[in-house]
Amino acid sequence: MKKITAAITGVQGYVPEEVLSNADLSKIVDTSDEWITSRTGIKERRILRNGASSDLAAAAVEGLLKKTNTSPEDIDLVILATVTPDYPFPSTANVLCDKTGMKNAWGYDLIAACSGFIYALSTGAQFIETGRYKKVIVVGVDKMTSILDYEDRATCVIFGDGAGAVLLEPNEEGLGVIDFILRSDGSGRQYLIQPAGGSANPASIETVENRMHFVKQEGKQVFKFAVTNMAEVSAEIMEKNNLTSDDVDWLVPHQANLRIIDATANRMGLPKEKVMINIQKYGNTTAGTLPLCLWDYENQLKKGDTLILSAFGGGFTWGAVYLKWAYNS
Ligand code: UT7
């Protein structure tokens, strides 16, 4: 019997229509287009005024089902990566299944911040590889504006809202997820955190007054860890699989900062043309960045292309996925 791998057979993204540009932000906080562009590469981001993460996810999933000609009732499992769930519980995956008619699916949320999509993709792939399921949807979604402090210029300029979803199906041609390396280090948790609203600091008047329900980031610390570890793990997955820079067709990096992306590409020996970049349009959408990249670049991808997906985020969490693209669009 041939080995079954989990192939991505479709990808769809969704970003809200409303654009918040660097110039718009400079009217809210003391910042400038020059600062944001030179430090991060971001020019604008999309924001959702009304609606929840499940609405962003539902728009992506509805598009995905349509373009892959898949009935919602045929989906077995949904794994949804997010740090901005609709509610602490029930899970946003549950809400999403209800909103999109995926009546026969079960699902759950996965928290791994900016590494959420690669954690979820690697997990979802297991259910296909074992032969247990035929159709698994993996979603990366965040409505970051729901936890942004528009008095904190160091964080509110970085993030945006968006969602992306992929369909995983069995493949017997050796295409799809080939390998992954996933890591975490909880000792870095204080550097990138939403401090309140969970069981450690339940919501109270104090937590609200102290603005503890918003994202807190020590940017410099996170940058230091991210720039080293994202580059290291990407090089490590290449070595582990005997891939040279010529073998890699695309780096799909988490979109947190253009300088971190450049460092990762350099460490892998990849030229700019092989690096997916859309940070200028969407900012950092946390779990959304990787599927949004795949969506934006889908029509440039060819069957058999070698992709390395790579991310770093709060936790700390980080890792890389090596996959072979399974279709021509
Ligand atoms: O996605 C999950 C993982 N997250 C990341 O990978 C993010 C990693 N970190 C970063 O990308 C960068 O640290 C940032 C883009 C967040 C910040 O860039 P930085 O070069 O590390 O700046 P900084 O935080 O050290 O701040 C430098 C200066 C400070 O002023 P002083 O103290 O030097 O006078 C800040 O107050 O820039 C100031 N600053 C700003 N100025 C204008 C901070 N935010 C802004 C702003 N506009 N928006």
Side-chain angles (χ1 to χ4, degrees), residues 31 35 39 114 153 158 217 219-220 222 254 256-257 260 284:
T31 191
W35 192 95
R39 299 284 171 132
C114 300
R153 66 177 181 173
I158 299 171
Q217 174 169 253
K220 271 232 165 4
V222 179
H254 173 51
N257 187 311
I260 299 173
N284 182 348

Side-chain angles (χ1 to χ4, degrees), residues 17-255:
E17 269 168 36
E18 186 171 344
V19 173
L20 189 68
S21 69
N22 290 349
D24 296 332
L25 275 168
S26 70
K27 291 175 203 143
I28 305 170
V29 286
D30 181 14
T31 191
S32 63
D33 176 49
E34 199 282 325
W35 192 95
I36 301 171
T37 307
S38 63
R39 299 284 171 132
T40 69
I42 301 165
K43 298 300 279 183
E44 58 188 42
R45 69 289 293 140
R46 300 299 183 93
I47 60 164
L48 183 69
R49 294 259 178 206
N50 300 304
S53 289
S54 65
D55 296 309
L56 297 167
V61 165
E62 273 160 10
L64 178 68
L65 293 171
K66 195 166 170 214
K67 81 195 273 195
T68 56
N69 217 1
T70 305
S71 159
E73 291 169 3
D74 289 341
I75 302 300
D76 301 304
L77 167 66
V78 176
I79 306 177
L80 183 146
T82 192
V83 294
T84 51
D86 288 20
Y87 318 101
F89 78 91
S91 79
T92 305
N94 283 158
V95 180
L96 172 66
C97 288
D98 181 52
K99 285 187 174 173
T100 55
M102 296 192 281
K103 290 189 169 59
N104 299 313
W106 68 284
Y108 59 93
D109 293 0
L110 188 155
I111 305 176
C114 300
S115 308
F117 186 75
I118 55 171
Y119 272 43
L121 178 64
S122 308
T123 310
Q126 307 309 303
F127 288 91
I128 299 281
E129 285 175 25
T130 56
R132 180 167 285 268
Y133 293 140
K134 297 279 182 281
K135 291 184 195 297
V136 173
I137 286 183
V138 175
V139 183
V141 56
D142 272 298
K143 184 186 172 184
M144 292 306 291
T145 54
S146 66
I147 54 168
L148 283 184
D149 183 352
Y150 283 96
E151 292 184 8
D152 177 6
R153 66 177 181 173
T155 54
C156 74
V157 303
I158 299 171
F159 295 99
D161 300 337
V166 299
L167 178 62
L168 294 180
E169 293 184 276
N171 183 283
E172 294 192 357
E173 299 173 88
L175 303 171
V177 175
I178 309 294
D179 196 13
F180 54 83
I181 302 175
L182 300 173
R183 303 220 191 276
S184 71
D185 178 0
S187 70
R189 62 191 176 279
Q190 74 273 24
Y191 297 124
L192 182 46
I193 191 168
Q194 181 189 342
S199 55
N201 297 303
S204 66
I205 290 170
E206 287 73 35
T207 62
V208 172
E209 282 175 354
N210 293 329
R211 312 185 79 76
M212 289 167 69
H213 294 268
F214 294 122
V215 180
K216 306 283 176 200
Q217 174 169 253
E218 286 186 37
K220 271 232 165 4
Q221 287 295 339
V222 179
F223 186 90
K224 262 201 304 213
F225 279 91
V227 81
T228 318
N229 287 306
M230 206 166 117
E232 261 327 295
V233 79
S234 308
E236 189 183 339
I237 204 161
M238 286 173 69
E239 281 156 30
K240 189 175 163 212
N241 291 280
N242 295 316
L243 297 171
T244 67
S245 50
D246 286 341
D247 298 326
V248 176
D249 297 295
W250 293 99
L251 167 64
V252 192
H254 173 51
Q255 310 282 306

